[in-house]
């Protein structure tokens, strides 16, 4: 028996205590809460009028009083965001595959993409309303246009980032291009696709609101415009807060989907050789 | 059997000029023999391997495998790259089965064979792990299993142990010899290491650089089964010495050239 055999397993050094960990987890919430308290106190102390800067409690009570109407507008905006986003995702994936399939197609399609992307979507919005009619279509189209370009770019980058060795392995196995795409290129591009989706979902919120500013009779963008027109600033602020919450929630949803279905793409292990 | 007949390989450099990677290379590799190719960097060892694999076409000359001219990748060839190049999202088992999937062949039946190969490589119990959870040596063993899954009669290995530490490297060399003894194949193995080449090979092919050509083919008559203790054998030392002399003589000649 070696002399140190009876020492047993070494103890782990103690980690941070439960209280410390709880505090760390609560920190972001406390910070936000602190900001709101400061805001509330400042507005009351300096007697800032409602129509300039409403206090948080005032925003809450005015928004809550109209909760049915606000809820309807929220759903309308959410619908626009999701339709536009899903459309962008559904179109950008095959487009990126096409662009990366051959240099000839890439050199034909890329300039078109860049041109479309360079046009400010706000400038395009009234034209789209004329073309597509006064319904939700132009709003969805604007949302789509705003978020699909970064998606195409990041997916194409992912499909092209596959290391040469992987492609050589596919060739050595005489894989068809479809199999190469399905077995190697697409899975490899997943982290790129998700970083594109994360950018796109936040832009989709922007696109939907822009669309609603230009032509709409419902949605949070419309609510902001109509309520500020009547100096109902607290309600406009309520809509802004809801937009922020929608943006955060949708972003986190994309993150959650990535974690759930593509856990290997989240960790950095994949870049370890 | 692999027959390489007066092959030239010219690449187009980025500035448009031609770069001669291989010049007038002829070589005959007998079936089920183990051939190591050594030479300084840039002598076209890897290029030669890719030509045999059909990954790139040769500029001039011809290569035939089992009597058939190589004009593209062939199924009777397995390729092991310098890096393991395992797909990080697929389990070890799926990685081993990947060539079959890429070829569009069924993978249900060969699962047993994949398990067997992994067990032979000392990886039993790791089938469901992801490559990222394995050490570099284990990853390279998976890559070798992957190259063997469709039971190719020819195995081409491009510095497969080059990225491993010295101890793992020795261990892997012996492992490869054991696998080769169990399932005879024609192996062409590219390496930088002279002792590795002499330990493994029936024949050592010494190449020289710029332009890449074959300097000499040396038979290694060290008795098998081999191990590292034989490094002291006169035959082992004689071959190592000859190979080293050839490589350094070439280097010196290249340095002295105006």
């Amino acid at each position: 028996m070696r002399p140190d055999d009876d020492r047993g397993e070494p103890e782990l050094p103690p980690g941070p205590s439960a209280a410390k960990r709880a505090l760390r987890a609560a920190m972001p919430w406390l910070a936000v809460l602190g900001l709101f308290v400061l805001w509330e106190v400042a507005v009351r102390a300096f007697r800032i009028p409602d129509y300039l800067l409403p206090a948080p409690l005032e925003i809450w009570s005015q928004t809550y009083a109209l909760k049915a109407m606000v809820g309807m507008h929220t759903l309308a905006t959410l619908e626009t965001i999701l339709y536009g986003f899903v459309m962008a995702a559904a179109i950008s994936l095959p487009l990126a595959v096409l662009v990366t399939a051959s240099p000839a197609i890439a050199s034909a399609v890329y300039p078109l993409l860049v041109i479309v992307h360079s046009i400010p979507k706000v400038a395009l919005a009234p034209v789209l309303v004329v073309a597509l009619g006064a319904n939700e279509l132009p709003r969805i189209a604007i949302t789509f246009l705003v978020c699909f370009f970064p998606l195409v770019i990041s997916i194409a980058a992912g499909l092209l980032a596959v290391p040469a060795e992987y492609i050589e392995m596919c060739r050595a196995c005489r894989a068809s291009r479809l199999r190469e795409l399905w077995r190697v290129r697409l899975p490899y591009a997943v982290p790129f696709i998700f970083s594109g989706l994360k950018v796109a979902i936040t832009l989709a919120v922007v696109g939907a609101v822009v669309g609603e500013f230009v032509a709409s009779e419902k949605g949070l963008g419309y609510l902001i415009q109509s309520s500020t027109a009547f100096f109902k600033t607290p309600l406009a602020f309520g809509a802004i807060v809801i937009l922020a919450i929608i943006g955060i929630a949708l972003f986190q949803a994309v993150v959650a989907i990535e974690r759930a279905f593509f856990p290997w793409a989240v960790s950095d292990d994949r870049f370890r050789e | 059997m692999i027959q390489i007949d007066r092959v030239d390989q010219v690449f187009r450099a980025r500035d448009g000029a031609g770069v001669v990677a291989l010049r007038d290379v002829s070589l005959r590799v007998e079936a089920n023999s183990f051939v190591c190719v050594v030479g300084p960097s840039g002598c076209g060892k890897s290029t030669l391997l890719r030509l045999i694999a059909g990954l790139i076409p040769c500029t001039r000359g011809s290569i035939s495998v089992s009597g058939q001219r190589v004009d593209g990748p062939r199924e009777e060839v397995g390729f092991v790259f310098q890096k393991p190049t395992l797909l990080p999202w697929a389990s070890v088992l799926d990685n081993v089965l990947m060539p079959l999937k890429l070829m569009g062949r069924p993978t249900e039946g060969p699962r047993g064979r994949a398990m067997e190969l992994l067990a032979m490589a000392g990886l039993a119990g790791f089938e469901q792990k992801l490559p990222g959870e394995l050490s570099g040596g284990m990853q390279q063993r998976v890559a070798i299993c992957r190259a063997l899954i469709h039971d190719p009669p020819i195995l081409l290995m491009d510095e497969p142990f080059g990225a491993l530490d010295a101890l793992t490297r020795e261990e892997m060399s012996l492992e490869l010899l054991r696998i080769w003894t169990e399932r005879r194949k024609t192996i062409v193995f590219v390496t930088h290491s002279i002792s590795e080449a002499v330990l493994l090979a029936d024949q050592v092919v010494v190449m020289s650089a710029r332009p890449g050509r074959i300097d000499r083919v040396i038979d290694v008559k060290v008795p098998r089964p081999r191990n590292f203790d034989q490094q002291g054998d006169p035959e082992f030392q004689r071959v190592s010495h000859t190979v080293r002399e050839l490589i350094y003589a070439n280097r010196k000649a290249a340095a002295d050239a105006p």
Side-chain angles (χ1 to χ4, degrees), chain A residues 53-155:
Chain A
L53 181 67
L57 286 178
E58 188 60 26
I59 295 172
W60 168 255
S61 63
Q62 289 212 21
T63 310
Y64 190 74
L66 296 166
K67 58 178 183 292
M69 188 262 283
V70 172
M72 185 272 287
H73 286 303
T74 305
L75 276 182
T77 301
L78 210 53
E79 211 172 293
T80 308
I81 293 171
L82 288 178
Y83 275 131
F85 175 73
V86 169
M87 228 168 88
I91 290 180
S92 58
L93 189 64
L95 195 65
V97 169
L98 202 68
V99 164
T100 53
S102 92
I105 298 176
S107 50
V109 175
Y110 259 125
L112 297 180
L113 286 180
V114 173
I115 291 170
V116 171
H117 186 62
S118 324
I119 301 170
K121 302 306 169 295
V122 192
L124 212 55
V127 183
L128 282 173
V129 174
V130 173
L132 298 172
N135 48 38
E136 58 269 280
L137 263 184
R139 300 198 291 276
I140 294 172
I142 292 164
T143 309
F144 162 80
L145 284 174
V146 166
C147 64
F148 110 114
F149 185 78
L151 253 178
V152 176
I153 296 300
S154 58
I155 297 174

Side-chain angles (χ1 to χ4, degrees), chain B residues 1 14 20-22 25 53 59 73 104 110 123 136 151 166 195 206 233 242 257:
Chain B
M1 188 194 71
R14 196 163 285 192
V20 182
L22 294 172
V25 170
T59 317
L123 289 167
D151 203 15
S195 59
V206 184
D233 284 10
T242 316

